[in-house]
Amino acid sequence: MNPTSSFPASRPHAGRVAWITGSTSGIGLAVARHLASEGAAIALHGQAAASAETDALVREIAQTHGVPVRHYGLDLRDGSAIAPLAQRIAAELGPIDILVNNAGMQHVSPLLEFPAGKWDELLAVNLSCLLYTSDAADERSSVD
């Protein structure tokens, strides 16, 4: 039996929770809106803390699609803060069913001039956080 057969075809993610990193703008926001249109509760993520702009996004997505939406601000360069965030999402929205690792950062310069600090930041956000978010979503997706 198809596990989604009990959901209407237009809302195949009804009852699921989606955490999309880097989702307060661009591709991540488009993915969040799409998953919300399919019925998923949305954990919006951005580097910055909540603001009037993120509050407006939360309201707009929730009202348009009739799903729970929350914003979570976290700098993904801090790998030790990712698991507690996943636990908070699970506690507030439910177990994480869908993880979209969309966050990323960029710095361009010749290799010999590339600042070591920027290199470390790029690795933390573009590579290490993929491991940490995936692990955290899997381990923390159920609330004890």
Side-chain angles (χ1 to χ4, degrees), residues 75-79 104-107 109 111 114-130 132:
D75 184 341
L76 294 173
R77 292 175 292 187
D78 181 4
M105 61 183 300
Q106 179 178 345
H107 178 81
S109 70
L111 183 61
F114 209 98
K118 282 291 181 194
W119 180 261
D120 293 339
E121 290 176 7
L122 287 171
L123 288 177
V125 173
N126 296 343
L127 187 59
S128 297
C129 96
L130 301 177
Y132 298 140

Side-chain angles (χ1 to χ4, degrees), residues 69-84:
V69 181
R70 297 226 172 136
H71 171 264
Y72 300 90
L74 179 70
D75 184 341
L76 294 173
R77 292 175 292 187
D78 181 4
S80 67
I82 293 173

Side-chain angles (χ1 to χ4, degrees), residues 96-119:
I96 299 166
D97 301 297
I98 302 165
L99 171 64
V100 179
N101 275 307
N102 175 72
M105 61 183 300
Q106 179 178 345
H107 178 81
V108 178
S109 70
L111 183 61
L112 296 177
E113 298 170 17
F114 209 98
K118 282 291 181 194
W119 180 261

Side-chain angles (χ1 to χ4, degrees), residues 19-103:
W19 175 19
I20 305 98
T21 66
S23 56
T24 57
S25 65
I27 293 170
L29 180 56
V31 169
R33 285 183 169 132
H34 178 75
L35 289 170
S37 77
E38 293 190 342
I42 302 296
L44 282 178
H45 164 262
Q47 184 174 352
S51 65
E53 185 178 330
T54 58
D55 290 347
L57 281 175
V58 166
R59 280 191 306 278
E60 177 256 318
I61 295 169
Q63 290 172 357
T64 300
H65 302 291
V67 296
V69 181
R70 297 226 172 136
H71 171 264
Y72 300 90
L74 179 70
D75 184 341
L76 294 173
R77 292 175 292 187
D78 181 4
S80 67
I82 293 173
L85 176 61
Q87 189 172 29
R88 183 174 162 212
I89 292 168
E92 294 177 1
L93 292 175
I96 299 166
D97 301 297
I98 302 165
L99 171 64
V100 179
N101 275 307
N102 175 72

